[in-house]
Amino acid sequence: MTEKPGNLRSSEVTDGVERAPHRAMFRAMGYDDADLSSPMVGVANPAADITPCNVHLDDVAAAAYEGVDSAGGMPIEFGTITISDAISMGTEGMRASLISREVIADSVELVAFGERMDGLVTVGGCDKNLPGMMMAAIRTDLPSVFLYGGSIMPGEHGGREVTIQNVFEGVGAVAEGEMSEDELDDLERHACPGAGSCGGMFTANTMASVAEALGLAPLGSAGPPAEFEERYEVAERAGELALDCIENDRTPSDILDKRSFENAIALQVAIGGSTNGVLHLLALAAEAGVALDIEEFDEISRKTPKIANLQPGGERVMFDLYEQGGVPVVIRRLVDAGLFDGDAMTVTGRTIAEELEALDLPADDDIDADFVRPVSDPFHDEGAIKILTGNLAPDGAVLKVTGEDNFHHEGPARVFETEEDAMRYVQEGRIESGDVIVIRNEGPRGGPGMREMLGVTSAVVGAGHEDDVAMVTDGRFSGATRGPMIGHVAPESFAGGPIGALEDGDHVTIDIADRTLDVELSDEELQSRLESREDPEMAYQNGVLAKYGATFGSAANGAVTNPGVKRDE
């Protein structure tokens, strides 16, 4: 593309005599006449030394910048924030995590709007970067390409591959006396060997995979690891593709429809993706104006088998999937089985089916059946995501099955008002078989920010209670969480949800087959308890946590803050 179409909005700041001052500012940064006559493409970059997920993103963004430039565009790189979920995990700082999704979306939208950009390449590394960047692209509805920074390579400890999940679980093992502190120290030093997002099918890799299924990222782009040369080739192609999108006026609203989200859910449940994918897909659908209900995740999961053996429910990591052909090999099997609509559009201007045909993928027979199973012979007959309802979660709660599909659990509630209180209970060795650990006041508004609780869940598993202790919370779980851990309980306690009425010893029943989450109390007793409790106050009265905490919607609708897309709750 060599000539700038006159209908591009960057013309508002580059064309005409009256824009001489604007052009002077650009020239100060090294842009020339050729740049100023080209489409302006923003490269949104959350690079930071805060997390290995993002530490290399300057290089990834530079490759995308080069792709834009070589294709005849005017690349403009700008920054935004990130929060390291793994480093903030288990601390008060984790409240910033979900808020960072909103800040990223808001900030990228603001820069694209304020500087009159024509298109975007949005780069993501750590968990909330990915949905935040995609939300921004959808809001602006500019021609956009999503670019993942890539996954970390697995570490090695004791002759086996390890990830950050093993380190979190090691903390619980030490508390239980099953691992020495010296062994944990050695594990800590080998689990994360370099740059890239956490290696299992945790939240970052889930959302990178989902971006392909939605069509917002090219097929195959999620797979190359962060430190592989192919990652930078993917980045350069993303920059080039952004110009093609501008030339053909191909925007997110041309790509996304109901099929896109149904496809994304089918992939999520087939690969055992993170429960956070539910929250983020609901938010993305809201931004896109696509009607999506939390119950639809369960409907799709019931008919879509789990066919990938990926951590945390399985054994393999994203690098292993890349070596098998990447996300497209899973999508191909789902398309062939009629579980994924191959006619859905992608950012390339071609359909999913056309993209699959164009890729050089290994033959189905050459794929390791112990890793990616045929749909006819799955690891589980149903997908990994389950939506539970009942008198404890009238608007739904989310569970990722990492064990048996037909799990049933009954036991006494052990109620905690904060994550820290629950963690002390576990670390002091007070946990007992049959317990249902309940952590409330951790929802989108009550937290605020809906903290992830990998520290607690890993401590429970590390203490040997993966199958006989359950957890229920209005907060969230990390994509690395495994075991019967139920989150996103809605309505949340702060908003008057029944979880706020629970008391120690109440009998809680969890039944996955029936998709129920109940407490053995009458409606009248639940209501009486809720009416007699004091209305909770906002945990923060000042600053960013107060601002976003006051504007979050329900987790059942994606916990969005954008007032134009919030549903009545």
Side-chain angles (χ1 to χ4, degrees):
M1 180 182 293
T2 58
E3 188 171 334
K4 182 173 180 176
N7 62 342
L8 293 179
R9 67 179 187 175
S10 62
S11 298
E12 298 174 26
V13 295
T14 60
D15 290 3
V17 173
E18 68 277 14
R19 298 307 182 210
H22 305 65
R23 291 191 296 273
M25 297 290 285
F26 283 119
R27 293 185 195 283
M29 296 180 284
Y31 294 104
D32 58 20
D33 288 348
D35 293 314
L36 293 166
S37 64
S38 303
M40 187 188 298
V41 180
V43 179
N45 177 16
D49 293 341
I50 290 171
T51 169
C53 309
N54 291 47
V55 71
H56 64 303
L57 291 188
D58 276 336
D59 293 333
V60 174
Y65 188 104
E66 179 59 32
V68 172
D69 191 50
S70 65
M74 178 181 173
I76 297 182
E77 183 180 346
F78 63 93
T80 187
I81 67 157
T82 190
I83 297 293
S84 172
D85 285 9
I87 294 175
S88 63
M89 193 78 66
T91 75
E92 187 177 13
M94 188 66 202
R95 302 188 193 283
S97 169
L98 186 60
I99 292 173
S100 76
R101 182 191 75 176
E102 304 300 297
V103 172
I104 291 166
D106 291 351
S107 62
V108 174
E109 177 191 5
L110 281 170
V111 175
F113 175 81
E115 303 306 313
R116 315 314 287 156
M117 290 177 175
D118 301 314
L120 291 168
V121 177
T122 57
V123 185
C126 200
D127 295 1
K128 304 312 171 295
N129 301 176
L130 289 83
M133 290 293 184
M134 287 186 271
M135 287 164 68
I138 293 168
R139 279 188 203 168
T140 63
D141 203 31
L142 292 174
S144 302
V145 181
F146 176 74
L147 172 59
Y148 183 39
S151 180
I152 196 172
M153 292 293 287
E156 185 175 333
H157 172 75
R160 64 181 179 127
E161 289 187 348
V162 293
T163 68
I164 193 67
Q165 172 189 343
N166 301 98
V167 186
F168 274 100
E169 292 180 3
V171 174
V174 168
E176 196 68 15
E178 299 295 324
M179 179 184 287
S180 70
E181 290 188 24
D182 286 344
E183 184 178 355
L184 178 62
D185 178 74
D186 189 56
L187 174 61
E188 166 195 328
R189 295 173 188 275
H190 291 89
C192 299
S197 302
C198 296
M201 191 48 69
F202 311 150
T203 302
N205 280 322
T206 296
M207 295 309 297
S209 303
V210 157
E212 291 189 28
L214 286 169
L216 295 176
L219 284 191
S221 62
E227 297 185 325
F228 275 35
E229 182 60 32
E230 191 182 345
R231 170 52 51 199
Y232 298 91
E233 295 170 3
V234 166
E236 188 166 352
R237 288 198 298 271
E240 295 167 355
L241 181 56
L243 268 294
D244 181 72
C245 290
I246 292 171
E247 184 172 16
N248 291 282
D249 194 25
R250 187 183 311 122
T251 69
S253 62
D254 297 316
I255 297 165
L256 297 174
D257 58 21
K258 188 58 178 279
R259 294 174 304 175
S260 311
F261 287 92
E262 291 170 344
N263 284 346
I265 296 168
L267 178 67
Q268 177 196 6
V269 302
I271 60 179
S274 168
T275 53
N276 285 305
V278 176
L279 194 77
H280 300 324
L281 280 169
L282 287 167
L284 290 168
E287 298 283 359
V290 173
L292 186 65
D293 190 86
I294 194 170
E295 291 287 353
E296 294 179 67
F297 288 81
D298 200 73
E299 293 167 10
I300 293 171
S301 191
R302 285 181 184 270
K303 64 184 181 184
T304 307
K306 181 174 180 283
I307 60 173
N309 178 22
L310 287 156
Q311 292 185 18
E315 300 167 348
R316 307 292 187 88
V317 296
M318 191 67 169
F319 172 66
D320 299 317
L321 182 58
Y322 162 72
E323 290 196 310
Q324 294 292 316
V327 174
V329 302
V330 181
I331 291 178
R332 183 176 63 186
R333 289 193 167 174
L334 296 176
V335 169
D336 290 346
L339 298 169
F340 192 111
D341 193 332
D343 291 331
M345 186 54 63
T346 76
V347 68
T348 65
R350 297 182 291 274
T351 67
I352 291 280
E354 289 169 336
E355 287 295 289
L356 288 172
E357 187 67 27
L359 290 172
D360 183 20
L361 297 176
D364 256 359
D365 291 344
D366 294 334
I367 297 170
D368 182 356
D370 290 331
F371 181 16
V372 182
R373 291 265 184 91
V375 171
S376 59
D377 182 29
F379 290 103
H380 295 288
D381 290 337
E382 294 185 354
I385 296 294
K386 316 292 183 185
I387 305 300
L388 311 185
T389 56
N391 68 352
L392 270 182
D395 294 342
V398 182
L399 166 71
K400 178 168 73 174
V401 172
T402 58
E404 290 301 316
D405 272 340
N406 295 318
F407 179 83
H408 180 95
H409 183 93
E410 298 185 36
R414 306 299 182 201
V415 182
F416 302 94
E417 304 300 332
T418 69
E419 176 188 1
E420 288 81 1
D421 291 343
M423 188 66 169
R424 279 192 291 273
Y425 178 82
V426 175
Q427 289 186 313
E428 289 169 1
R430 298 167 62 191
I431 190 171
E432 297 181 5
S433 178
D435 279 352
V436 178
I437 297 174
V438 177
I439 306 176
R440 61 192 180 199
N441 303 314
E442 294 286 3
R445 296 183 62 199
M450 213 178 173
R451 283 194 289 182
E452 291 178 1
M453 301 182 188
L454 181 59
V456 181
T457 61
S458 297
V460 170
V461 172
H465 292 287
E466 178 180 354
D467 300 315
D468 63 353
V469 168
M471 188 177 294
V472 175
T473 181
D474 49 12
R476 294 182 296 126
F477 296 124
S478 163
T481 289
R482 60 190 175 110
M485 312 297 180
I486 299 164
H488 305 207
V489 169
E492 62 175 293
S493 177
F494 183 87
I499 188 174
L502 283 179
E503 297 176 358
D504 268 352
D506 286 341
H507 190 82
V508 175
T509 300
I510 300 160
D511 194 296
I512 293 177
D514 289 342
R515 304 292 201 271
T516 53
L517 173 61
D518 290 300
V519 60
E520 201 172 276
L521 294 172
S522 66
D523 291 345
E524 291 76 17
E525 176 63 17
L526 280 171
Q527 188 60 35
S528 175
R529 289 187 185 182
L530 288 172
E531 289 175 355
S532 64
R533 74 170 191 163
E534 293 185 13
D535 289 337
E537 294 184 359
M538 293 289 293
Y540 297 82
Q541 303 296 322
N542 188 32
V544 67
L545 272 73
K547 178 167 67 174
Y548 280 92
T551 55
F552 271 124
S554 170
N557 297 321
V560 296
T561 60
N562 181 355
V565 302
K566 287 174 71 172
R567 290 167 54 178
D568 293 336
E569 296 162 0

